[in-house]
Amino acid sequence: MASSERSALLTYRLCGGSGEDERGRERGRAAAAATPRKLPTFLGVVVPTLLSMFSVVLFLRLGFVVGHAGLYQALAMFAVAYFIIGMTVLSVCAIATNGALDAGGAYYMISRALGPEFGGSIGIMFFLANVCGSALYVLGLVEAVVDSFGIPPGQEVGSGIHVLPQSYWYELLYGTILLALCLVVCLVGASIYAKATFLIFLIVAGVLGTILVSFFATRPLGVPIRMPYLNSTETENGSFTGFSLATLRENLGGGYGVDYTTGQMMSFSTVFAVMFNGCTGIMAGSNMSGDLKRPSYSIPRGTISAVLFTYLVYNLLAFLMCATCNRTLLQKDYGFLRDISIFPPLVTVGIYAATLSAAMSNLIGASRILYALARDDLFGRALALAKKTSASGNPIMAVILSWLVVQLVLFSGKLNTIAGVVTTFFLLVYATVNLACLALEWASAPNFRPTFRYFTWHTCLLGIAGCCVMMFLISPVSASASLGFLLILLLALHYLSPSSTWGYISQALIFHQVRKYLLMLDVRKDHVKFWRPQMLLMVQNPRGSARLIDFVNDLKKSGLYVLGHVELQDLDTLPSDPLQPQQDSWLSLVDKLNVKAFISLTLAPSVRHGVRQLLFTSGLGGMRPNTLVLGFYDDAAPQDSLAQHPAFTSSREELPLGFPPLRAATAPKLLSPREYVGIVADALKMLRNVLLVRNLESLDKVWELRRAASPPPSIHVWPVNLLRPDSARYADTCSLFLLQMACVLNMARAWRRARLRLFLCVEAGAMPHAQEDKLRQLLKDLRIQAQIQLVPWDGVVRLHWQAPRGPPGGPAHTEDEEEAVNFPPNTTQVSDEYVRAANKMVLEQGPAPAVRFLYLPRPPADTGLYPLYLRQLELLTRDLGPTVLVHGVSAVTSTQL
């Protein structure tokens, strides 16, 4: 199994990615990789975990917990604490067996599962948890040393072995010396640490056996207790009664009192905070993942074995203490186990050894986490120093930096003072480990196949809930501050950290949820009340279409937006797909322009065929484009609007290099006029709405919409078919769609200052005021706010009726007659003179608007008339500035609730 973990087949390694960043980091791993992994399951996982959990709480605070909480509440505390860490251990085992682990333990698991933001922020929190934990154990060791060798309170000169002065600064000095000893061991490396911890483990096991025997072998005795506060020489007497039913009954219930080291009144939450530190060592084995022979094998087996053993020992000792020691002894003598032991010096040695080992375990764990954070370059130069290692691969600078931070924490002074903070940090880390496993399970990714299967999403959820509840019960202030700090780290890493190749669980979760909701999005349940535009914008070259892309983004109204592009090539003649290398350039463009759009590229022999493909295939399920947007076909030379776009002029980044230069003005076009109109006809046949956008490169949206001008910018709307005045109506499907699109644009955040102006073309004797009232009522029913302006157009219409007509099936047209377009068959022809007059009428309605919306007639049925149709559209929109020609085929407005 060891060989399979390190084999080339298992490139997944929890992160599932590779790339330039990962290959660059390999150089930083060279020293560590050169050193073979040495530690087996027992020495690498079981021993560090047991020693981290059997430390201060077992020897110095278990009596404190039982004395204040009583047996029933103490057992309840153990059950709650081990329930939380049990759920977390299951999650750790699942993640640890889902790929090869590297150095960093919990940080490595979380970062490779949840991505760099969560991984980096939780890595810092876990580093701080280990640092504070190391300081806590050092302070516990100082407390034990001072209790054994300190000058009694009230005496200036000691006697016998009691020679150590007691004060805040002296205790800080003792802590500094002991921490320096831990630093020396950790600087030597993991191998000497493992040997030292195994020796300590043998001592602790012997002491634990001695303690268990002492409960049975020691006769009842009184224990004088010196009270160390107020410099008093007052003493109290505690009692070791031996096994006594009366003592057991007295200790069953809670009896919370004052903690004699801090002078604070104890409660369930404060006692639980101290007790939980005896359960926080479950990650000691995971922290050594970079030094284990087979981490995926060792971590589950070693951690579960150690947790079960410590749970049994804690419960057994709690019962023995309640049955043999009175409450005074338990509450006011934290070192009473030495007083009742059959061989007190051995207990003293055990206390020193266990707390020293736990301090070293947390210090070396913190250094490994810091080294992993530095190696991943999440914090840039801030942690560059921590990357340096010794010749054997030991991260010596990370160890030294961790030691410095622990030294700072030692200034807090008392063990119980930082116990709540340490517990909060560890609970937050455990909650995130459960969250990582829950996210992997819910994402249903095929590559999440842990060999450890004894977990479900229920266990993960229970672990998260338990951690969060206890975190706020212990210290709402510490919990809130920790979460706030975590949020700041998340945001900082999100915006400042480099992209990684580890994979982001958020992407897997989003995919899972999107797929589920897309299946629920039933097109048969579509209703006009909830219609929204879903755009397919065809782009030949983004360099000339930046403003068009931005404009259509305002038009989409939270709907689907697809940027389509047709590459004129034949895949049969190519060695590979030429579109794949272009994807990154298009996606980078979308990011830089800050538009919410998808990319859809296709190969086709012609543009028309390519647009057909995209209209048929773009989208998924109920999310498919219902509106095709095209730039206008004219002879204007393309302009590189991308170079002047604020997204690029305001940054130092270069333009995307994946897009070719724009077509020269004299170069031939890739699209003929007949093919262009054919695309419009195809879209209408496929029941897609069509928008043709012209002169948008002249729209400076930022200046137009933010200028301090009066009146505010306007949007002109002409909901009448200017090329068919004989059939002019304001309430047909196309006119209503045009009104809807203008209203949608006006609802966009950037366009809310603009005012809609609706132009009503009227003829003499046609009761214009009645038409105006009818149109005003329509706008009121549609909840559209617009100013209506009457425009007489008798002179324009007269030109239309004077135009020559040709009956269907008649003789061939003359040259003059061919200048008119027969829109569909059996309809009147329109002359260029009439179209110019209509253009002049539109142009004269001032002041000049930001954009105009005009009615787009349906292309003629005769494909031979396509060029004439396009020419008259060009005449109609000539010199009008930014203009949108709109043809709608679907009902999009509703007057119902």
Side-chain angles (χ1 to χ4, degrees):
M1 186 169 182
S3 61
S4 67
E5 276 188 2
R6 311 309 303 165
S7 69
L9 293 176
L10 195 64
T11 57
Y12 177 57
R13 297 180 59 84
L14 279 173
C15 54
S18 61
E20 294 297 329
D21 293 339
E22 190 66 25
R23 286 192 291 270
R25 295 189 184 112
E26 288 298 332
R27 293 190 295 271
R29 297 175 185 164
T35 304
R37 302 183 179 208
K38 315 178 192 63
L39 301 180
T41 302
F42 186 73
L43 287 180
V45 180
V46 176
V47 171
T49 304
L50 285 176
L51 290 179
S52 293
M53 301 178 78
F54 282 164
S55 54
V56 171
V57 172
L58 176 66
F59 294 111
L60 296 177
R61 289 297 186 271
L62 192 55
F64 161 85
V65 172
V66 175
H68 285 283
L71 180 62
Y72 291 153
Q73 292 188 38
L75 294 180
M77 288 181 183
F78 290 133
V80 171
Y82 274 84
F83 173 79
I84 292 173
I85 67 169
M87 299 300 101
T88 306
V89 165
L90 296 181
S91 299
V92 169
C93 294
I95 298 175
T97 59
N98 189 52
L101 282 174
D102 211 332
Y107 158 71
Y108 190 87
M109 297 178 192
I110 295 171
S111 62
R112 270 49 177 185
L114 297 184
E117 293 96 341
F118 258 105
S121 54
I122 289 298
I124 291 294
M125 301 300 286
F126 197 28
F127 167 75
L128 293 176
N130 278 273
V131 161
C132 293
S134 182
L136 179 139
Y137 295 128
V138 170
L139 291 174
L141 182 54
V142 169
E143 184 180 296
V145 170
V146 169
D147 191 46
S148 300
F149 303 104
I151 299 175
Q155 298 182 18
E156 295 183 1
V157 180
S159 60
I161 62 173
H162 300 285
V163 294
L164 296 179
Q166 294 191 53
S167 72
Y168 169 80
W169 293 107
Y170 274 112
E171 291 178 6
L172 179 61
L173 175 62
Y174 306 150
T176 301
I177 295 171
L178 294 171
L179 183 60
L181 177 62
C182 296
L183 173 66
V184 171
V185 175
C186 294
L187 284 176
V188 174
S191 178
I192 189 66
Y193 164 75
K195 294 175 182 177
T197 52
F198 180 66
L199 177 61
I200 293 173
F201 173 74
L202 294 178
I203 296 173
V204 171
V207 172
L208 185 59
T210 302
I211 290 173
L212 292 174
V213 171
S214 297
F215 281 109
F216 296 91
T218 302
R219 295 181 179 180
L221 54 87
V223 180
I225 304 171
R226 293 187 182 91
M227 308 309 296
Y229 47 81
L230 300 178
N231 293 324
S232 171
T233 57
E234 177 186 354
T235 62
E236 293 188 26
N237 289 319
S239 298
F240 177 77
T241 64
F243 286 96
S244 168
L245 187 59
T247 303
L248 179 61
R249 287 175 178 172
E250 179 188 348
N251 291 327
L252 289 178
Y256 295 100
V258 176
D259 173 26
Y260 72 82
T261 63
T262 62
Q264 296 179 352
M265 185 67 186
M266 293 293 100
S267 64
F268 181 91
S269 60
T270 54
V271 172
F272 181 85
V274 175
M275 184 279 302
F276 192 79
N277 285 284
C279 309
T280 56
I282 61 171
M283 292 291 189
S286 302
N287 291 341
M288 301 297 295
S289 57
D291 301 293
L292 297 173
K293 286 182 180 178
R294 295 183 295 172
S296 295
Y297 173 87
S298 300
I299 290 175
R301 289 164 175 78
T303 305
I304 292 176
S305 302
V307 167
L308 290 176
F309 182 72
T310 56
Y311 179 68
L312 293 175
V313 171
Y314 276 135
N315 281 274
L316 176 60
L317 287 178
F319 174 77
L320 293 177
M321 290 177 182
C322 286
T324 58
C325 304
N326 72 349
R327 195 176 294 273
T328 301
L329 179 64
L330 294 174
Q331 287 188 351
K332 299 184 178 181
D333 184 5
Y334 294 163
F336 78 96
L337 288 176
R338 179 179 57 250
D339 298 326
I340 67 170
S341 174
I342 57 175
F343 188 50
L346 184 60
V347 176
T348 302
V349 172
I351 293 173
Y352 296 168
T355 50
L356 188 64
S357 172
M360 287 191 297
S361 174
N362 279 264
L363 179 59
I364 200 169
S367 67
R368 294 308 190 263
I369 296 166
L370 187 63
Y371 172 64
L373 283 166
R375 197 177 61 184
D376 286 335
D377 285 329
L378 294 184
F379 295 89
R381 296 180 180 178
L383 297 179
L385 191 62
K387 294 182 183 179
K388 296 184 179 180
T389 62
S390 65
S392 62
N394 186 33
I396 53 175
M397 291 308 301
V399 173
I400 293 173
L401 292 174
S402 302
W403 166 75
L404 287 173
V405 181
V406 176
Q407 183 65 55
L408 292 176
V409 179
L410 288 181
F411 282 93
S412 62
K414 292 296 181 182
L415 185 151
N416 288 5
T417 304
I418 62 172
V421 177
V422 175
T423 299
T424 301
F425 279 149
F426 275 108
L427 282 171
L428 187 58
V429 172
Y430 294 166
T432 314
V433 171
N434 284 299
L435 177 63
C437 189
L438 177 68
L440 289 168
E441 178 70 8
W442 275 356
S444 301
N447 280 325
F448 183 58
R449 297 189 298 271
T451 56
F452 182 87
R453 297 301 304 167
Y454 301 102
F455 77 100
T456 66
W457 66 267
H458 304 86
T459 61
C460 302
L461 208 57
L462 287 172
I464 296 171
C467 290
C468 293
V469 169
M470 292 312 303
M471 193 164 56
F472 280 93
L473 283 178
I474 289 169
S475 176
V477 175
S478 298
S480 302
S482 300
L483 289 173
F485 183 54
L486 176 65
L487 182 60
I488 292 173
L489 287 173
L490 276 171
L491 293 175
L493 286 173
H494 178 73
Y495 289 107
L496 301 178
S497 68
S499 60
S500 72
T501 57
W502 307 336
Y504 293 79
I505 191 63
S506 58
Q507 296 298 304
L509 290 172
I510 290 170
F511 178 89
H512 185 265
Q513 293 301 107
V514 167
R515 182 193 65 85
K516 180 171 70 174
Y517 287 119
L518 272 176
L519 290 172
M520 297 170 62
L521 189 61
D522 192 345
V523 294
R524 296 168 296 183
K525 297 179 182 178
D526 282 348
H527 194 279
V528 66
K529 290 188 297 184
F530 308 112
W531 179 89
R532 66 182 71 236
Q534 306 198 75
M535 305 294 204
L536 171 61
L537 170 62
M538 298 305 304
V539 179
Q540 179 183 351
N541 191 332
R543 292 184 181 273
S545 307
R547 288 183 174 172
L548 176 59
I549 293 171
D550 186 58
F551 178 77
V552 177
N553 187 62
D554 291 335
L555 269 177
K556 71 180 187 307
K557 187 55 181 173
S558 302
L560 178 67
Y561 184 16
V562 180
L563 297 181
H565 173 71
V566 179
E567 193 80 14
L568 298 181
Q569 296 192 55
D570 186 359
L571 190 60
D572 290 339
T573 62
L574 299 172
S576 62
D577 181 6
L579 300 179
Q580 290 300 324
Q582 299 183 28
Q583 285 283 349
D584 286 344
S585 295
W586 284 87
L587 293 173
S588 298
L589 175 77
V590 167
D591 292 338
K592 289 295 296 177
L593 295 180
N594 195 26
V595 295
K596 297 179 174 64
F598 296 95
I599 302 300
S600 187
L601 312 180
T602 188
L603 286 176
S606 69
V607 176
R608 186 175 183 181
H609 281 86
V611 176
R612 282 180 184 171
Q613 291 176 19
L614 293 177
L615 285 173
F616 277 124
T617 61
S618 292
L620 194 63
M623 293 188 68
R624 292 184 178 277
N626 56 29
T627 304
L628 175 67
V629 185
L630 301 172
F632 196 79
Y633 190 97
D634 56 21
D635 295 326
Q639 301 176 9
D640 193 345
S641 58
L642 199 62
Q644 288 80 38
H645 194 279
F648 295 95
T649 57
S650 61
S651 67
R652 298 179 180 177
E653 297 186 28
E654 298 181 354
L655 294 178
L657 300 178
F659 303 122
L662 288 172
R663 174 183 60 85
T666 57
K669 298 180 179 180
L670 299 177
L671 190 65
S672 67
R674 187 184 301 272
E675 189 178 9
Y676 177 83
V677 180
I679 292 173
V680 176
D682 291 343
L684 296 177
K685 290 177 184 178
M686 299 166 68
L687 299 181
R688 303 298 202 277
N689 311 297
V690 176
L691 273 61
L692 306 183
V693 186
R694 186 177 190 187
N695 293 329
L696 207 65
E697 63 277 0
S698 64
L699 173 63
D700 189 346
K701 187 179 74 172
V702 176
W703 179 86
E704 187 73 40
L705 299 179
R706 294 183 181 177
R707 61 188 173 95
S710 182
S714 59
I715 300 172
H716 286 190
V717 183
W718 295 80
V720 65
N721 187 351
L722 294 176
L723 298 186
R724 287 287 309 279
D726 56 323
S727 62
R729 291 184 298 169
Y730 289 92
D732 65 355
T733 298
C734 185
S735 297
L736 292 177
F737 180 82
L738 188 150
L739 275 173
Q740 181 81 322
M741 295 310 299
C743 181
V744 165
L745 181 65
N746 193 209
M747 294 169 69
R749 184 188 300 269
W751 291 83
R752 286 176 184 170
R753 283 191 63 247
R755 297 292 180 264
L756 288 181
R757 295 183 64 193
L758 187 61
F759 294 91
L760 176 61
C761 299
V762 295
E763 299 180 57
M767 296 185 293
H769 294 293
Q771 294 183 33
E772 181 182 2
D773 292 342
K774 185 176 180 181
L775 181 57
R776 196 176 302 279
Q777 183 61 42
L778 175 64
L779 294 177
K780 182 179 179 181
D781 292 340
L782 296 176
R783 290 88 61 205
I784 296 176
Q785 296 182 0
Q787 174 190 352
I788 299 177
Q789 183 170 333
L790 302 181
V791 181
W793 70 330
D794 297 80
V796 178
V797 173
R798 189 177 303 114
L799 293 174
H800 167 71
W801 294 116
Q802 291 175 358
R805 307 183 199 184
H813 300 297
T814 65
E815 291 183 4
D816 292 336
E817 290 175 335
E818 285 183 355
E819 291 184 1
V821 178
N822 187 10
F823 282 97
N826 304 322
T827 61
T828 58
Q829 300 168 356
V830 180
S831 66
D832 286 356
E833 184 182 8
Y834 164 78
V835 178
R836 292 190 182 96
N839 169 263
K840 182 180 179 182
M841 177 185 67
V842 173
L843 192 60
E844 289 175 347
Q845 308 306 314
V851 65
R852 290 181 172 90
F853 283 81
L854 302 184
Y855 190 115
L856 174 66
R858 182 180 286 270
D862 184 357
T863 58
L865 297 177
Y866 280 1
L868 296 178
Y869 167 81
L870 184 59
R871 192 182 71 169
Q872 294 199 333
L873 290 182
E874 192 277 330
L875 288 175
L876 180 64
T877 57
R878 182 176 295 177
D879 300 325
L880 291 185
T883 304
V884 183
L885 291 162
V886 181
H887 191 98
V889 297
S890 55
V892 295
T893 57
S894 173
T895 59
Q896 302 175 358
L897 288 176

